[in-house]
Each structure stands twice: as C-alpha cells, then as structure tokens.
Amino acid sequence: MFGGPTLEVDLHKIKENAEAVSDLCHRHGVQVLGVTKGFSAISDIVKAMNDGGVDGLADARLENIISLREAGFNQELTMLRLPRLSKVDEVVRYADASLNSEFDVMKALNLAAEKQGKTHRVILMVDVGDLREGVMPELAEDMAYRLCGLKSIRLAGIGSNMGCFGGVLPSPVNLGLLQEIARSIEHKVGFKLDVISGGGTSSLLLLENCMLPRDINQLRVGEGILLGTDTTNNRIIPWLHQDAFVLHAEVIEVSDKPSIPVGEIGLDALGNSPVFTDRGVRRRAILALGKQDVILEGIRPVDSKIIVLGASSDHLIVDITDAEETIKVGCEIMFHLTYSGLLSLCSSKYVNKSFKEGEHWLSVSEYPTGNSLRDWSS
Ligand SMILES: *Cc1c(COP(=O)(O)O)cnc(C)c1O
C-alpha cells in the first residue's frame, strides 16, 4: 500500500465489546449474531468477535457470506438482506439461514435446498412498524403456515427490524407484538419456533433495563460491538469501547488562509453550492483523505478543537487554528467514526487497514516519517 489513510483496528477492544454484549444477552437467555457487514467481514475482526463469544455470524451481502465461508468460519451464517430470487442457489450453498418475507423467494430457496440435499432455515420477517422489510403482522400467521408446506425449508422463527428506515425504536410494545405473533404462529403450525429475533444494537437498551419481552431470544448486533454506539437511540453505550476503530490521515499542506474563498463562487467539485462563514484568517490543514475514502459526516476529529471544513474527492480540509498540538506537514490527524464512516472506509480500496491486539501491532502498513500525532501508548 502507499500509506494512504489508515484505519486502525484494536482487535482487543472489539473482542471486549463482543464479550460484554454476549454476556449481557446470555444472562437474559438471548443469543447474539455478530453482524459483519459494517467492516466488509474482514477476517481478523470477525475472529475478534468470535473470541468475544458471539453465537453466530450474519451479513447483508452475499459476497461477505461467501468470503466468511471461504475464510473457514464454520459456525452458523445468517443472510440478513432478503435473498434475491436470482441468487437463491448461492444463499442456500453458503448461508445456513436467511431472513425472508417473500413467498416466491422462499419457494425458490426450497427448490435450491432440495437440489443441494440441504435444509435451509428461514426467519420470517414481520414488520412491526419500521417499514423496511417484513410481512405485515396480520399476514404473518398465514405466511408461516404456507411455509410449513415447503419440505426443504425449516421455519426457524420470526424476526423484526427496527431503527433502519423509519427510525422506529424497539419497545416493549412493538417487540411484545412480535412475541404475540410468534405465539399465534406456534399455535397454528403446532411446533415451537427456535428463534424470535428482536432487532439489533438498538434493542440492547431494553435488555439493559430488563424491558425486552421475555420470549425474544436473538439479537443481531453490529454497531454496538464495533463502535460502542447506538445511533437509533442517539447514545454512547457506556459499558463498551467507542475507540476500537481510529482513522489516521496525513497532513499534506498547512497554511494560513482567509475563511471566505476569493472570487466569484460557482459550484464545488461535486456540484454542491458551498456556504462559508467569515472567521478571518485561519490556519488550515489539507489531509490526504477525501470522499472516495469516507463519508464526511461519518468522521469526527479525536481533537475536538479541530474543525472539519469540507472535502472534495481526495482532499479533506480542516481548521487547526485551535488544535491541541502543533500540526505540520507529515503529521497524522486521528478521527473517531460513526457507523456510516466505518462502512465507507471499509468499502474503499484506498484505505489501509492495520490491526493491533492489546499493545501489539499485528500488521502495520507504511507510515509517514514526519512528526506524528499518533499516540502509540493508547
Ligand atoms: C445491519 C443489520 C443489523 C445490525 O444492526 P446494528 O444496528 O448494526 O446492530 C441487524 N439486522 C439486520 C436485518 C441488518 O440489516
């Protein structure tokens, strides 16, 4: 690699987060699927999640499910995004279970499973309010009953998704409804469902407050384990690490410049109309980091006195006038991430990834030789 922006991952902190989430869940009889889509299922991070005691793995992308399998992860893999009709063979081949809502797709999964001599587990998604995927509650029982006619499909349970499209918070009411639907399905089909899957990170708050309905026995957790945050509830999860991921970007120019551009203002490089506040002459730094690497809204300088002014595809501009330390060309500036920041960094081929376990760096790509704001001791 060329020493471009580097995403540093503290595997020990990921492991501790996975451990804390798993412990909380297990104490309440809830199993945890570690969700790997936030970091493109990079093996070292998956391993850290596993070491922390998650019960299974789940991802929304078939590519990631396949790479998990090929990397030798042999525990249960769940496909989170509704399978495409065109990809049922692959879903059955690589995943043990999938979340579903469309009968035609489940019929096709059934055929694919029959051909492969397998039984594929289905979690029927029920929409209890967020309005992303899932059958409407009044249709769930009927759909579950029809599913039982498919011989190579096993109705493993039902599930729900929260805080994704509608931003609906999980609650004792909507998850209570899910639990009720599970009971009526069990009554109709004549067997007990293995799984009632009650959402992701945002459901942890209910568990902490002992308000998760009793029959919910699975959560699918990504953000909490990775970042120790819960965006839907707009909170930091105080018993988790928030700094398992830190982004480092190198300074390529430092200079004092006015805060209002000079000349007639058109559109910026990406077609937006920029707005500026006149704060006089300020010291600015340009970093080798841009919109090709990260969603701008997804990063926050570790030094809160540094202000992100904006970015084009390859240049990030920050105001360093009030920065805690003297910043020179060749320094690295560090950033904390949100989930969207993490997603974008892991999807960019320009971003180096390096891993450490405790105090020990496992694989570090090239670093600049100049002054560094990196604090090697933390
Ligand atoms: C991404 C995803 C999750 C994980 O959500 P987090 O908020 O990251 O815990 C859970 N379920 C489904 C269906 C998802 O797509």
Side-chain angles (χ1 to χ4, degrees):
M1 286 304 246
F2 302 99
T6 299
L7 179 63
E8 283 179 355
V9 191
D10 187 329
L11 298 173
H12 189 67
K13 287 182 176 160
I14 305 264
K15 175 181 169 226
E16 287 190 338
N17 280 357
E19 225 160 44
V21 168
S22 304
D23 285 353
L24 172 71
C25 288
H26 293 163
R27 277 203 304 279
H28 291 85
V30 173
Q31 62 156 213
V32 181
L33 299 186
V35 174
T36 57
K37 69 186 186 206
F39 55 94
S40 313
I42 296 168
S43 290
D44 303 69
I45 306 176
V46 177
K47 188 170 167 302
M49 273 187 163
N50 275 342
D51 292 347
V54 299
D55 303 286
L57 299 170
D59 204 289
R61 299 277 169 164
L62 195 49
E63 290 85 341
N64 292 350
I65 295 274
I66 293 172
S67 74
L68 283 167
R69 219 29 123 201
E70 287 177 345
F73 293 103
N74 54 18
Q75 67 267 64
E76 179 156 301
L77 296 186
T78 299
M79 175 72 184
L80 290 175
R81 186 166 69 184
L82 306 175
R84 280 168 284 174
L85 201 48
S86 60
K87 291 289 180 282
V88 289
D89 286 323
E90 288 84 348
V91 169
V92 166
R93 179 159 297 117
Y94 294 101
D96 304 289
S98 57
L99 310 185
N100 284 275
S101 65
E102 287 282 353
F103 191 69
D104 284 348
V105 174
M106 292 184 265
K107 252 178 17 192
L109 286 167
N110 179 57
L111 269 182
E114 196 181 316
K115 265 194 301 188
Q116 294 177 33
K118 284 183 164 178
T119 304
H120 185 74
R121 289 156 50 86
V122 159
I123 310 281
L124 177 64
M125 292 303 272
V126 181
D127 195 319
V128 292
D130 193 56
L131 303 185
R132 198 176 74 178
E133 72 272 51
V135 297
M136 294 307 282
E138 59 275 19
L139 303 176
E141 196 183 302
D142 204 47
M143 179 74 96
Y145 186 74
R146 287 168 78 197
L147 273 176
C148 293
L150 304 173
K151 293 290 169 269
S152 299
I153 290 284
R154 175 178 162 75
L155 175 63
I158 65 172
S160 217
N161 199 55
M162 309 286 173
C164 275
F165 175 72
V168 170
L169 297 171
S171 70
V173 174
N174 51 32
L175 289 180
L177 174 62
L178 187 68
Q179 172 173 298
E180 243 171 66
I181 294 167
R183 289 217 186 97
S184 72
I185 288 176
E186 285 171 346
H187 185 73
K188 174 112 174 178
V189 302
F191 61 89
K192 192 154 168 34
L193 299 174
D194 299 336
V195 175
I196 307 180
S197 190
T201 298
S202 58
S203 296
L204 290 174
L205 184 59
L206 292 179
L207 253 193
E208 284 167 53
N209 297 332
C210 297
M211 285 165 70
L212 192 76
R214 178 186 318 206
D215 294 350
I216 304 291
N217 62 5
Q218 180 189 81
L219 295 181
R220 314 171 303 262
V221 182
E223 184 187 355
I225 293 175
L226 301 171
L227 296 167
T229 54
D230 171 1
T231 304
T232 308
N233 285 297
N234 191 23
R235 69 168 183 144
I236 279 173
I237 304 175
W239 41 278
L240 294 175
H241 299 289
Q242 280 78 44
D243 57 352
F245 292 88
V246 177
L247 172 66
H248 294 249
E250 187 177 342
V251 175
I252 54 174
E253 182 191 286
V254 175
S255 64
D256 296 327
K257 294 188 184 181
S259 35
I260 301 263
V262 181
E264 188 186 345
I265 294 179
L267 299 182
D268 69 12
L270 298 180
N272 305 305
S273 196
V275 194
F276 301 94
T277 319
D278 192 356
R279 311 175 68 207
V281 170
R282 305 283 293 178
R283 173 147 297 187
R284 297 147 66 107
I286 301 180
L287 308 186
L289 174 73
K291 292 186 176 174
Q292 287 201 76
D293 307 302
V294 72
I295 290 175
L296 208 52
E297 294 70 31
I299 61 174
R300 185 168 44 80
V302 171
D303 176 352
S304 59
K305 304 254 173 61
I306 295 177
I307 306 162
V308 174
L309 296 174
S312 53
S313 54
D314 312 290
H315 300 77
L316 179 83
I317 299 161
V318 292
D319 184 323
I320 55 170
T321 315
D322 305 319
E324 300 280 4
E325 291 172 77
T326 309
I327 294 171
K328 297 183 196 158
V329 162
C331 285
E332 287 183 332
I333 292 182
M334 300 194 281
F335 297 88
H336 292 307
L337 307 175
T338 67
Y339 196 72
S340 67
L342 181 63
L343 263 181
S344 50
L345 287 164
C346 288
S347 310
S348 170
K349 68 171 181 174
Y350 302 106
V351 177
N352 302 323
K353 281 93 190 169
S354 75
F355 304 99
K356 80 170 179 177
E357 203 140 26
E359 297 308 300
H360 177 59
W361 290 95
L362 298 178
S363 61
V364 181
S365 20
E366 240 171 74
Y367 284 118
T369 48
N371 293 321
S372 177
L373 297 185
R374 169 193 312 284
D375 180 359
W376 286 89
S377 61
S378 68

